[in-house]
């Protein structure tokens, strides 16, 4: 069965470049979450979608971070003018309805900014 | 959502031994979830225990919840090398939707 997939799995960017990270959630899952995980830390919440609506973006660290889910399925996390501190693993998760239910995580995209 | 605090930060045991890790949180919850993360399978949901439950089992996993002490424990029995991973708890408050807030986790090393 298809789980959550993310692409690319690894991305190396030069400082100042823009990057786009893709997440394909489990089919039929209403809720989609993005998390950022720095080395040695637990994942930290970035943003949440319910279908195509972005209901919470309180975790986005700066206005260089932008996420969308235009058709309520695939989501893209875009980081503009990347900085070294953006280097992390970006995890996407989906859940059936988001109401206090379990989340299914993708493998993550490891972003390294040089 | 609130963050859970896992304890200990690191745990090293031999295969066949049991491993116990604890989680503490601050305010009332709807449920509490445990996740495991290793390099092979990424971050995986293990078990969810609701606030009106005191104990739950899943295979070799046993989770307890004490809402009066605002704490939970995860017991892994007869551990295997494949259990080597970081374990995170995520307390979920009453809310319309639930984002997970993770602590630093417990890093478990199971040696053959």
């Amino acid at each position: 069965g298809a789980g959550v997939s993310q692409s690319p799995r690894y991305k190396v960017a030069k400082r100042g470049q823009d990057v786009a990270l893709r997440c394909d959630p489990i089919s039929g899952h209403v809720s989609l979450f993005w998390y950022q995980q720095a080395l040695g830390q637990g994942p930290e919440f970035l943003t949440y979608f319910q279908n195509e609506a972005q209901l919470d973006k309180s975790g986005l660290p700066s206005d260089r971070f932008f996420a969308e889910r235009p058709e309520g399925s695939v989501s893209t996390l875009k980081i503009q003018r990347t900085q070294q501190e953006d280097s992390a693993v970006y995890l996407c998760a989906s859940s059936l309805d988001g109401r206090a239910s379990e989340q299914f995580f993708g493998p993550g995209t490891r972003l390294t900014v040089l | 959502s609130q963050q859970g605090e896992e304890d200990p930060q690191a745990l090293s045991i031999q295969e066949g031994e049991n491993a116990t890790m604890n989680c503490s949180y601050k305010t009332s919850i709807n449920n509490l979830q445990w996740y495991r993360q290793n390099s092979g399978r990424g971050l995986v949901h293990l078990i969810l225990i609701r606030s009106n439950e005191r104990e739950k089992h899943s295979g070799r996993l046993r989770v307890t919840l004490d809402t009066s002490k605002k704490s939970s424990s995860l017991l892994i029995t007869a551990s295997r090398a494949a259990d080597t991973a970081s374990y995170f708890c995520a307390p979920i408050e009453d809310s319309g939707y639930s984002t997970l807030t993770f602590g630093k986790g417990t890093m478990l090393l199971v040696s053959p």
Side-chain angles (χ1 to χ4, degrees):
Chain A
V4 178
S5 61
Q6 292 185 246
S7 60
R9 292 292 310 278
Y10 304 91
K11 176 68 178 179
V12 178
K14 291 183 179 178
R15 191 170 52 186
Q17 281 185 331
D18 297 348
V19 298
L21 313 180
R22 177 187 168 107
C23 172
D24 283 84
I26 294 173
S27 177
H29 277 196
V30 168
S31 298
L32 186 145
F33 305 80
W34 283 98
Y35 295 84
Q36 178 190 59
Q37 185 171 24
L39 193 62
Q41 305 292 320
E44 292 190 1
F45 169 76
L46 294 177
T47 186
Y48 161 71
F49 289 86
Q50 183 172 315
N51 295 307
E52 69 278 3
Q54 188 175 20
L55 298 187
D56 189 340
K57 54 182 181 179
S58 62
L60 296 177
S62 78
D63 58 8
R64 295 185 296 103
F65 286 72
F66 172 77
E68 61 183 4
R69 192 186 186 199
E71 297 179 358
S73 176
V74 171
S75 177
T76 304
L77 176 67
K78 298 179 180 178
I79 309 173
Q80 297 176 324
R81 304 182 302 281
T82 52
Q83 305 294 313
Q84 283 189 322
E85 61 263 28
D86 300 334
S87 295
V89 175
Y90 290 85
L91 296 167
C92 174
S94 70
S95 71
L96 191 58
D97 60 11
R99 300 183 70 89
S101 56
E102 67 176 290
Q103 295 183 18
F104 296 84
F105 283 80
T109 294
R110 182 178 296 277
L111 172 65
T112 302
V113 181
L114 302 176
Chain B
S1 57
Q2 62 177 303
Q3 178 175 312
E5 298 288 343
E6 297 90 355
D7 176 72
Q9 289 192 6
L11 182 59
S12 184
I13 60 175
Q14 299 289 120
E15 264 191 328
E17 294 180 339
N18 296 341
T20 299
M21 52 206 85
N22 304 295
C23 169
S24 60
Y25 57 92
K26 290 187 167 53
T27 64
S28 63
I29 59 171
N30 175 285
N31 68 69
L32 186 141
Q33 301 177 27
W34 284 90
Y35 287 79
R36 178 183 65 205
Q37 186 176 39
N38 59 31
S39 58
R41 295 194 59 193
L43 193 59
V44 175
H45 177 269
L46 293 177
I47 198 164
L48 181 156
I49 186 165
R50 302 195 184 281
S51 59
N52 61 353
E53 298 176 307
R54 290 297 166 257
E55 188 171 311
K56 199 163 184 179
H57 296 254
S58 177
R60 295 182 296 112
L61 305 180
R62 172 178 167 250
V63 168
T64 62
L65 178 64
D66 187 334
T67 53
S68 67
K69 296 181 179 178
K70 294 186 172 56
S71 67
S72 175
S73 68
L74 171 66
L75 168 67
I76 304 174
T77 60
S79 62
R80 306 167 181 167
D83 295 328
T84 294
S86 290
Y87 291 80
F88 299 93
C89 69
I92 306 298
E93 297 166 352
D94 293 318
S95 64
Y97 66 90
S98 55
T99 65
L100 302 175
T101 304
F102 296 98
K104 293 188 177 181
T106 292
M107 186 176 298
L108 173 66
L109 174 63
V110 182
S111 302

